[in-house]
C-alpha cells in the first residue's frame, strides 16, 4: 500500500511536470512565432494558454495536501505557474527551465545570452532582461 501510494505520487509529480512543461513550451512557441500571428490571434492564443495555466494552478492548489515531498514539488511547480501568470519572467523558455529545475540548462542559456549580446545577435536591453531572469531563477533554485 505504501509502495502504491509512492508510485501514485511519483506519477502525479511526473504528470504535473509534463503539463507545466507543455504549457510553458506552448507559451514560448507562441512568443517565438509572434510575427506569424495577427494581433487578435496572438492575444487570443496567449489568453487561452494563460487560462490553462490558471486552471492548472487551481488544480495544483487542490493537490497540495498529503505527501510532503509531493507538496514541496507541487509548490515549486505552482510557484513557476504563478510566475508565468504574473509575467515575472518575460522569457517563457527561462520560466520553463526554472519550473523543471534545470540549473545547468539555465547556466548554458546565460552563456548563450552573453555570447549573443557580444556577437550582436541580441540587443543589450534584451540580453540584460534575460540575464536578470536567469540569475533570478538560479537564485530561487539555490543553484
Amino acid at each position: 500500500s505504501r509502495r502504491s501510494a509512492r508510485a501514485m505520487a511519483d506519477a502525479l509529480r511526473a504528470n504535473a511536470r509534463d503539463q507545466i512543461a507543455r504549457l510553458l513550451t506552448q507559451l514560448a512557441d507562441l512568443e517565438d512565432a509572434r510575427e506569424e500571428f495577427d494581433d487578435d490571434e496572438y492575444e487570443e492564443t496567449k489568453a487561452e494558454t494563460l487560462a490553462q495555466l490558471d486552471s492548472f494552478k487551481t488544480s495544483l492548489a487542490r493537490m497540495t495536501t498529503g505527501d510532503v515531498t509531493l507538496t514541496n514539488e507541487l509548490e515549486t511547480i505552482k510557484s513557476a505557474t504563478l510566475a508565468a501568470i504574473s509575467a515575472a519572467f518575460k522569457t517563457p523558455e527561462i520560466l520553463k527551465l526554472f519550473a523543471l529545475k534545470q540549473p545547468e540548462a539555465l547556466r548554458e542559456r546565460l552563456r548563450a545570452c552573453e555570447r549573443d549580446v557580444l556577437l550582436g545577435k541580441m540587443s543589450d536591453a534584451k540580453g540584460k532582461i534575460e540575464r536578470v531572469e536567469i540569475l533570478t531563477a538560479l537564485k530561487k533554485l539555490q543553484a
Side-chain angles (χ1 to χ4, degrees), residues 5-38:
R6 179 103 174 132
M8 197 160 74
D10 289 345
L12 188 56
R13 268 193 295 277
N15 287 340
R17 276 193 301 268
D18 290 348
Q19 187 169 358
I20 192 69
R22 181 186 62 77
L23 290 170
L24 294 173
T25 298
Q26 186 174 318
L27 201 56
D29 290 347
L30 177 65
E31 292 301 322
D32 290 344
R34 172 73 174 99
E35 297 82 34
E36 296 175 25
F37 294 95
D38 65 38

Side-chain angles (χ1 to χ4, degrees), residues 23-32 42 46 53 80 83-99 106 109-110 113 122 125-135 137:
L23 290 170
L24 294 173
T25 298
Q26 186 174 318
L27 201 56
D29 290 347
L30 177 65
E31 292 301 322
D32 290 344
Y42 171 79
K46 187 172 183 175
L53 279 165
I85 292 168
S86 68
F89 291 98
K90 303 283 186 245
T91 312
E93 180 62 25
I94 294 170
L95 178 61
K96 178 182 170 187
L97 295 174
F98 168 71
L106 283 165
R109 177 75 182 234
L110 180 62
C113 175
M122 181 185 294
K126 183 170 173 36
K128 183 177 182 179
I129 290 169
E130 282 202 24
R131 285 191 301 270
V132 168
E133 290 178 9
I134 293 167
L135 293 171

Side-chain angles (χ1 to χ4, degrees), residues 9 12-14 16-17 20 24 53 56-85 89 95 98-101 140-141:
L12 188 56
R13 268 193 295 277
R17 276 193 301 268
I20 192 69
L24 294 173
L53 279 165
F56 181 65
K57 177 190 74 163
T58 303
S59 295
L60 283 177
R62 285 191 297 246
M63 286 189 263
T64 55
T65 57
D67 176 26
V68 174
T69 305
L70 177 61
T71 300
N72 289 343
E73 211 162 313
L74 290 175
E75 284 298 326
T76 300
I77 294 169
K78 183 177 168 185
S79 294
T81 304
L82 290 171
I85 292 168
F89 291 98
L95 178 61
F98 168 71
L100 298 176
K101 296 181 178 179
K140 289 183 182 211
L141 289 174

